[in-house]
Each structure stands twice: as structure tokens, then as C-alpha cells.
Amino acid sequence: MKISFDFDSTLTRPDVQNFAKQCIEAGHEVWLVTSRQDTESALLRGHHWVESQNQKLFEVAERVGIDVDHIVFTSHQPKIEFLEGKGFAIHIDDDIEELLDIKYSKDPVEGVNVEYFEWKEITEKLLK
Ligand SMILES: [Mg+2]
């Protein structure tokens, strides 16, 4: 299945990183979808600090085993705009706004709140 993870306060967590690794090992297609600005457009705007912040994101993605082609920067646009129509089964996030956008969209993608204590069990059920 196609499963996507938010980065800040989601894939920055070691438990979430381990879970993402397990998903890849189980053969799922794992994506990282962040609302951060991509490095190139940040630099064009003079936001030079974004480069090293994003470098850390790429390091985490590499450690987890997420393909560079599966990393998306929405540059503060709602993530559902990217997720919609692409066959994602699950998106895991800590941002209520993003999760509500997902919930009220017509896309079958299920949003999972990583702050909820049973996020992992819920995701595992959805993956079955
Ligand atoms: Mg977040």
C-alpha cells in the first residue's frame, strides 16, 4: 500500500521512524510529505536557513530508507492537494488541520493522528 508520513513531530520521532522502516520492509510504498518549503525555492527567497533544516530531513529519510523521489515539499499548501487522486491509503500527521482536510476530502486516503496513543495499531489495521 501507499503510505505517507509528515516530517515535523511525526517522522522526527524514533518510534515513527522504526514503524516507517517496518512498512518499507513489508513492501509498502512509503512517502514523506512535508509542508516545508523545498530548498531551492527557499534559497531563491533568501531563506538560507532552510537548506540545513532540509538536510536533516533528507538524512532521516535516507536512514529510514525512503526514496528521494518519494519526498514531497508542499510549501505550506494543504497536503491533501498533493495526496488526492494518487492512490494513497494512509497519511500520518500531527497537524489537525491537515487531518481534517484529508477527512473531508473525497479521496479514500485515511488520515491517522500520530499524537493519538493508538496511532500505530490503527495504522497496522488499515494496512491489512
Ligand atoms: Mg508535523
Side-chain angles (χ1 to χ4, degrees):
M1 283 190 190
K2 237 168 137 174
I3 171 165
S4 110
F5 292 80
D6 163 48
F7 185 67
D8 292 287
S9 303
T10 301
L11 205 60
T12 48
R13 280 168 45 173
D15 61 330
V16 181
Q17 291 171 12
N18 284 335
F19 182 74
K21 263 188 217 170
Q22 285 172 30
C23 288
I24 292 169
E25 281 162 17
H28 296 296
E29 189 178 316
V30 172
W31 287 66
L32 192 174
V33 179
T34 174
S35 55
R36 286 186 180 196
Q37 211 177 9
D38 68 275
T39 305
E40 203 180 330
S41 60
L43 288 176
L44 282 172
R45 288 168 194 221
H47 300 166
H48 48 84
W49 58 89
V50 174
E51 188 168 24
S52 64
Q53 287 175 352
N54 285 349
Q55 197 45 49
K56 286 185 193 117
L57 177 152
F58 284 113
E59 281 164 23
V60 169
E62 196 183 348
R63 226 175 34 238
V64 169
I66 299 173
D67 221 271
V68 181
D69 297 344
H70 291 176
I71 300 174
V72 175
F73 294 85
T74 68
S75 297
H76 311 298
Q77 293 307 302
K79 289 176 187 171
I80 188 62
E81 288 178 13
F82 167 75
L83 297 168
E84 218 160 32
K86 295 194 180 70
F88 281 93
I90 301 161
H91 174 73
I92 302 177
D93 213 301
D94 68 305
D95 187 311
I96 297 296
E97 291 291 322
E98 300 284 5
L99 292 167
L100 285 176
D101 286 346
I102 287 167
K103 186 178 164 103
Y104 294 116
S105 76
K106 290 193 175 104
D107 197 89
V109 60
E110 295 267 6
V112 175
N113 187 347
V114 78
E115 306 256 276
Y116 184 58
F117 78 110
E118 279 191 313
W119 70 270
K120 201 171 149 182
E121 289 75 10
I122 290 170
T123 308
E124 277 166 347
K125 255 185 213 160
L126 290 170
L127 284 171
K128 275 178 189 154

